[in-house]
Amino acid sequence: MDIDYLVSAFVTLLVVVEPLGLAPVFVAATSGLEARTKRAIAFRASVYALAILAGSALIGQRLLGAMGISIPAFRIAGGFLLFSIASEMVFGVRIQRDSKAAEKALAEHVHNIAAYPLAIPLMAGPGAITATVLLASDAHGDVTLLASLIAVIAAIMAICLIFCLIAGEVAQFFGTAANVVLTRLLGVLLAALAVQFVADGARAFLQG
């Protein structure tokens, strides 16, 4: 088992998904609901997101191949997308957007808030899907590495579930200021990962 691959996958997805940032959004999206209902929503959202990301890991490359998109090209595009998300995190735009998504879901009386806005786009948004496909491409078809990636995805979703279940306590303990600071620090880390994706993609593209 490639420990470096596991660590890279875990850190990348942890930064992109940002489970801690889910807490205030989950509180807003489930405001007024019973504790039992909140637990059910948290569980369903985690399962939905797990299915989406696991599916991306398994068939993402095949879909790209069917569309004639090379992995280096996707790596470059994905790197730019992740950099854009990192910029939103650093400048505080992502927090505002996620909060608005939760408010919109409540205002429109969305029936299944576990699917939207929790699973998509918060847990398994474009950034997470892109990162998952890129990480799957690094496995080069190795079944063991792909299984490890799915295990990492499951671990990240388990962390998301835990933070959703204790969202109220987390929001009170950390407060808005601490959450903003942490989000911006993670944004810087994600920006560095994004640049690395672009550099690796450009290198592979030029060599190919």
Side-chain angles (χ1 to χ4, degrees), residues 9 13 24 53 64 75 79 87 96 113 116 143 147 182-183 192 205-206:
L13 289 176
L53 294 183
L64 291 176
R75 188 176 293 275
S87 299
Q96 297 175 8
I113 60 176
Y116 172 82
V143 176
L182 181 60
T183 296
F205 192 81
L206 293 174

Side-chain angles (χ1 to χ4, degrees), residues 8-97:
S8 175
F10 184 82
V11 171
T12 300
L13 289 176
L14 185 67
V15 171
V16 175
V17 177
E18 194 194 358
L20 181 60
L22 290 173
V25 179
F26 184 83
V27 170
T30 59
S31 177
L33 299 179
E34 296 180 356
R36 181 178 179 180
T37 303
K38 290 182 179 180
R39 289 194 295 269
I41 289 173
F43 180 77
R44 288 203 307 271
S46 300
V47 171
Y48 293 159
L50 172 60
I52 292 168
L53 294 183
S56 299
L58 294 174
I59 66 173
Q61 285 183 265
R62 294 181 182 178
L63 290 177
L64 291 176
M67 292 185 290
I69 301 174
S70 68
I71 290 299
F74 185 77
R75 188 176 293 275
I76 294 172
F80 282 122
L81 174 61
L82 293 178
F83 190 84
S84 174
I85 293 173
S87 299
E88 291 183 347
M89 293 171 69
V90 170
F91 294 108
V93 177
R94 184 177 184 179
I95 296 175
Q96 297 175 8
R97 189 191 65 226

Side-chain angles (χ1 to χ4, degrees), residues 19-204:
L20 181 60
L22 290 173
V25 179
F26 184 83
V27 170
T30 59
S31 177
L33 299 179
E34 296 180 356
R36 181 178 179 180
T37 303
K38 290 182 179 180
R39 289 194 295 269
I41 289 173
F43 180 77
R44 288 203 307 271
S46 300
V47 171
Y48 293 159
L50 172 60
I52 292 168
L53 294 183
S56 299
L58 294 174
I59 66 173
Q61 285 183 265
R62 294 181 182 178
L63 290 177
L64 291 176
M67 292 185 290
I69 301 174
S70 68
I71 290 299
F74 185 77
R75 188 176 293 275
I76 294 172
F80 282 122
L81 174 61
L82 293 178
F83 190 84
S84 174
I85 293 173
S87 299
E88 291 183 347
M89 293 171 69
V90 170
F91 294 108
V93 177
R94 184 177 184 179
I95 296 175
Q96 297 175 8
R97 189 191 65 226
D98 291 348
S99 298
K100 288 181 180 178
E103 293 172 0
K104 183 178 179 181
L106 288 176
E108 295 179 355
H109 304 289
V110 175
H111 177 66
N112 191 0
I113 60 176
Y116 172 82
L118 295 179
I120 301 174
L122 299 182
M123 294 181 181
I129 293 173
T130 300
T132 298
V133 174
L134 291 175
L135 289 167
S137 71
D138 289 337
H140 303 293
D142 188 312
V143 176
T144 302
L145 289 182
L146 284 175
S148 299
L149 175 58
I150 293 176
V152 168
I153 294 171
I156 296 295
M157 290 305 111
I159 294 173
C160 288
L161 174 60
I162 292 172
F163 273 104
C164 285
L165 293 177
I166 60 173
E169 292 80 357
V170 170
Q172 290 179 359
F173 179 79
F174 285 98
T176 303
N179 187 43
V180 169
V181 171
L182 181 60
T183 296
R184 292 183 176 180
L185 288 175
L186 291 176
V188 173
L189 179 58
L190 180 58
L193 290 170
V195 171
Q196 188 62 55
F197 277 134
V198 173
D200 291 344
R203 187 182 303 111

